[in-house]
Amino acid sequence: MADEAYHIGNPPSAESYLRGEKIIEVAEKSGAQAIHPGYGFLSENADFVREVTGRGIVFIGPPPEAMEGMGGKISARLLAIEAGVPVVPGTTEPLKNYEDALETAREIGFPVMLKASAGGGGKGMRLVFEESELKSALETAQSEALAGFGDDAVYIEKAVVRPRHIEIQIFSDKHGNHVYLGERECSIQRRHQKVIEEAPSPINDAELRKRMGECAVKVAEAVNYVGAGTVEFLVSDVDKSFYFLEMNTRLQVEHPVTELVTGIDLVREQILVAWGEKLSFTQDDVQLNGHAIENRVYAEDLENNFLPSPGKITRLRVPQGNGIRDDGGIYEGSEISIFYDPMISKFCVHGRTREEAIGRLRRAL
């Protein structure tokens, strides 16, 4: 829907979408008053935010200090502990060496999870069931972390048995208002990356939702948050105990399911809040209606271990109908590039019940 386009560099993201100065240059050239960073690339880069605001352009997102506080998994854990939010037992400092890892693992008990402090998307993450696996797992996690993020800091935490990945959408404005908009369950994953997200979670009830929501708001308050953010938790399927994992200081790929069940346009709200307006709703206004599911559609070769499958889209037919929403960036004749994530659409359905939503999703897919 854009009516102006500017060339910012070659297709590899290091030569284009990760070059903040090129994006700021385009903003200035085009007269844009604000930059919306989406949910990848520079969306959680505090230095980029400072560059943008230093040029008198509005950044549609949180302040850089909030990004830095929540940017490292270890610093985020410390802030959560300080705010009185439960965290999975583990270290708050990067592991010094194998001996340190072994001592901690014995202390908290196997199974344990090794995680890159600066990581995401499953890189630098290893589940370790017993002592004999720990040394090689630590070495792999550290080398992956260094290659992926330029930082080999790894920490360790207790692995939660039968975990569910449930996150809370929060929204804050510049006037000190913090609201939670229910949860999304993202437990269906592949290679530690989400594939299907739904709202509300099939295991949540009003009481658990309120407790998790209030903890998420505490985390937002701890960093003076502004805008849309997501606080992620691990929830035990056994006893419904929950633990803070991390905070994503941006809009999430799966935000449409929250929009469908709350009726609130999160991107519109982001723009208004960045402009200095108060949230257009209060906690009491937030009502969850029906059930929504998002399915990530990938251009992948399922016969070749789901590797990306680039090429031209020769035919495209997108399902339509009641309760269907397709957030896609593709069309007939467009190219699936080798340079970016093979996710080509966020395909969402909404129904009065979970069963109705699943039925619609099956038919549409």
Side-chain angles (χ1 to χ4, degrees), residues 86-348:
V87 300
V88 180
T91 55
T92 50
E93 293 290 324
L95 295 165
K96 296 182 194 72
N97 47 41
Y98 168 66
E99 287 69 30
D100 185 22
L102 183 60
E103 189 184 326
T104 311
R106 283 174 175 167
E107 209 173 283
I108 59 178
F110 286 91
V112 296
M113 186 71 90
L114 298 173
K115 286 184 177 179
S117 178
K123 291 188 181 76
M125 188 191 272
R126 285 292 177 277
L127 177 59
V128 185
F129 288 97
E130 51 192 55
E131 257 183 47
S132 60
E133 301 168 0
L134 185 62
K135 196 166 200 274
S136 66
L138 179 63
E139 285 165 3
T140 309
Q142 286 174 326
S143 64
E144 262 183 31
L146 189 63
F149 314 106
D151 179 358
D152 71 353
V154 168
Y155 72 103
I156 192 169
E157 65 184 29
K158 178 82 177 149
V160 177
V161 180
R162 279 173 55 195
R164 285 179 178 254
H165 185 131
I166 298 178
E167 56 192 30
I168 303 285
Q169 174 72 57
I170 60 106
F171 226 110
S172 310
D173 62 22
K174 294 178 180 177
H175 306 274
N177 299 307
H178 302 275
V179 175
Y180 63 89
L181 293 105
E183 79 282 356
R184 298 185 287 261
E185 172 147 354
C186 313
S187 301
I188 299 176
Q189 303 187 7
R190 188 185 66 210
R191 302 185 194 118
H192 302 296
Q193 291 189 325
K194 300 163 185 173
V195 177
I196 289 178
E197 299 102 351
E198 58 183 314
S201 162
I203 69 156
N204 257 21
D205 53 34
E207 190 261 339
L208 182 58
R209 180 173 300 119
K210 185 172 187 288
R211 279 170 47 221
M212 290 179 75
E214 286 169 354
C215 280
V217 163
K218 280 183 190 171
V219 171
E221 287 170 342
V223 288
N224 299 314
Y225 200 76
V226 174
T230 297
V231 182
E232 302 196 351
F233 294 94
L234 267 190
V235 182
S236 169
D237 211 357
V238 181
D239 59 5
K240 305 288 189 287
S241 56
F242 62 88
Y243 306 96
F244 169 81
L245 263 185
E246 63 179 329
M247 183 179 191
N248 291 130
T249 53
R250 54 174 166 79
L251 196 69
Q252 295 271 89
V253 171
E254 56 273 23
H255 76 275
V257 292
T258 298
E259 293 187 332
L260 288 167
V261 295
T262 60
I264 294 167
D265 183 331
L266 297 181
V267 179
R268 179 179 187 273
E269 207 67 32
Q270 276 189 302
I271 295 167
L272 295 174
V273 161
W275 207 245
E277 294 196 21
K278 283 186 175 177
L279 284 176
S280 66
F281 54 89
T282 65
Q283 193 63 64
D284 292 340
D285 295 330
V286 179
Q287 303 290 329
L288 304 185
N289 298 305
H291 200 94
I293 304 173
E294 177 177 304
N295 187 92
R296 299 192 189 196
V297 180
Y298 297 97
E300 292 179 338
D301 184 350
L302 71 157
E303 289 175 2
N304 191 14
N305 199 26
F306 296 95
L307 285 174
S309 181
K312 182 176 274 198
I313 295 175
T314 52
R315 183 167 177 271
L316 175 69
R317 187 163 63 91
V318 178
Q320 294 173 328
N322 222 5
I324 284 177
R325 166 176 167 172
D326 177 56
D327 286 22
I330 53 167
Y331 49 90
E332 258 184 36
S334 64
E335 285 280 339
I336 304 297
S337 168
I338 61 167
F339 297 105
Y340 311 111
D341 194 298
M343 183 177 77
I344 54 174
S345 163
K346 302 181 298 173
F347 189 73
C348 310

Side-chain angles (χ1 to χ4, degrees), residues 28-41:
E28 290 177 333
K29 200 189 289 182
S30 64
Q33 297 163 297
I35 290 177
H36 190 300
Y39 36 69
F41 301 121

